Amino acid sequence: HRDKKRDKEKVKEKEKAKEKERDQDKEKERNWDRDKEKERERDKERNRDKDKEKDQEREKERHKDRERVRDKDRDRDRDKEREKNKEKKEKDREEVDQNKEKDDITKEGEKDREKIKDKEGDKDRGGKEKDKEKEKDEKKEKKEREREKERDDKKKKDKRSRTPPRSYSSSRRSRSSSR
């Protein structure tokens, strides 16, 4: 009877030991799962940080690109403004020259009128003076025409110098198409 009792206790002890072992295995598995989950969370966090860094880098690049574009635009605008000012100065210079010429012409005209009045006052000089007057008037008109022609030539020359020369092939093409 005692043996049976002893055997039952041994069996119970074995079962307890097995139960304890099973509990320990479960605990190990739980710990292992917990560790795995923590590792996954750490990885996610690391990836998030990397993504943030990449986003910041991309944003910096975009910002640099925008700066470059803004600088290019600013330079282009500055160049256009310079060109406009240059053209305006040229126009102003031409206008001043034209006004000067007009003033000179009007002064000459006034002098001529005064001379004519003086001549009319001196009737004794006669027809020769009138012929000389006509000659002078013709000379002045001729001079004025020459000046205008020079001014026009200068304008044409300035315009030509501003436009780039045509390439050889394009000029040949235009000639061949006109034939």
Side-chain angles (χ1 to χ4, degrees):
H1 191 72
R2 229 180 265 154
D3 288 340
K4 265 189 177 179
K5 205 172 189 182
R6 216 178 293 134
D7 285 343
K8 274 187 179 179
E9 281 177 21
K10 278 184 182 177
V11 168
K12 273 186 179 178
E13 278 179 32
K14 277 183 183 178
E15 280 180 13
K16 275 185 182 177
K18 279 184 181 176
E19 189 67 34
K20 199 174 191 181
E21 206 176 300
R22 258 188 251 120
D23 285 349
Q24 283 175 347
D25 286 348
K26 279 182 181 176
E27 188 61 33
K28 277 182 186 176
E29 201 173 310
R30 263 189 246 120
N31 285 341
W32 188 80
D33 285 348
R34 203 176 304 124
D35 289 346
K36 275 289 174 186
E37 189 59 37
K38 280 181 184 175
E39 187 64 33
R40 259 188 239 115
E41 282 299 318
R42 261 185 257 124
D43 286 348
K44 278 183 182 175
E45 193 62 36
R46 243 182 265 126
N47 287 339
R48 261 188 238 119
D49 290 346
K50 282 181 184 174
D51 287 349
K52 275 184 184 176
E53 285 176 22
K54 282 181 184 175
D55 286 348
Q56 285 174 344
E57 283 298 314
R58 274 192 224 110
E59 189 56 39
K60 279 181 185 175
E61 278 300 312
R62 270 190 232 115
H63 187 70
K64 282 180 184 176
D65 289 346
R66 283 195 294 266
E67 276 296 314
R68 274 189 224 111
V69 166
R70 206 176 302 130
D71 288 347
K72 279 183 182 176
D73 288 348
R74 198 178 307 125
D75 289 347
R76 195 180 335 105
D77 290 347
R78 201 178 299 130
D79 289 346
K80 281 182 182 176
E81 195 63 34
R82 270 194 213 120
E83 191 64 30
K84 277 183 185 175
N85 287 340
K86 196 175 179 182
E87 287 178 11
K88 190 173 187 281
K89 281 180 183 175
E90 273 183 41
K91 279 184 179 176
D92 290 349
R93 204 174 298 129
E94 284 178 14
E95 209 173 290
V96 166
D97 289 347
Q98 285 177 357
N99 288 338
K100 203 174 188 182
E101 283 180 28
K102 283 180 185 175
D103 289 346
D104 291 347
I105 291 169
T106 53
K107 283 178 185 174
E108 283 179 25
E110 286 173 11
K111 284 179 185 176
D112 289 343
R113 275 189 228 105
E114 285 176 19
K115 285 179 184 176
I116 291 170
K117 284 180 184 175
D118 290 344
K119 285 178 184 176
E120 284 175 3
D122 302 337
K123 286 185 180 175
D124 52 301
R125 290 190 186 165
K128 286 184 183 177
E129 294 295 322
K130 287 180 185 176
D131 291 340
K132 284 183 184 177
E133 284 281 327
K134 283 182 183 178
E135 281 180 36
K136 276 188 180 180
D137 287 344
E138 287 173 342
K139 282 182 184 176
K140 279 182 187 170
E141 285 177 352
K142 196 175 183 182
K143 262 189 189 176
E144 197 175 318
R145 272 189 246 116
E146 284 177 28
R147 280 190 196 136
E148 279 186 30
K149 190 179 182 219
E150 285 175 6
R151 197 180 318 124
D152 290 344
D153 289 347
K154 188 178 178 185
K155 280 184 187 177
K156 285 178 185 174
K157 189 177 176 187
D158 285 350
K159 273 190 181 177
R160 233 182 284 127
S161 65
R162 276 189 235 126
T163 58
R166 253 196 184 152
S167 69
Y168 176 72
S169 59
S170 67
S171 62
R172 283 195 56 175
R173 238 182 281 122
S174 65
R175 269 190 262 128
S176 63
S177 64
S178 64
R179 278 186 219 144

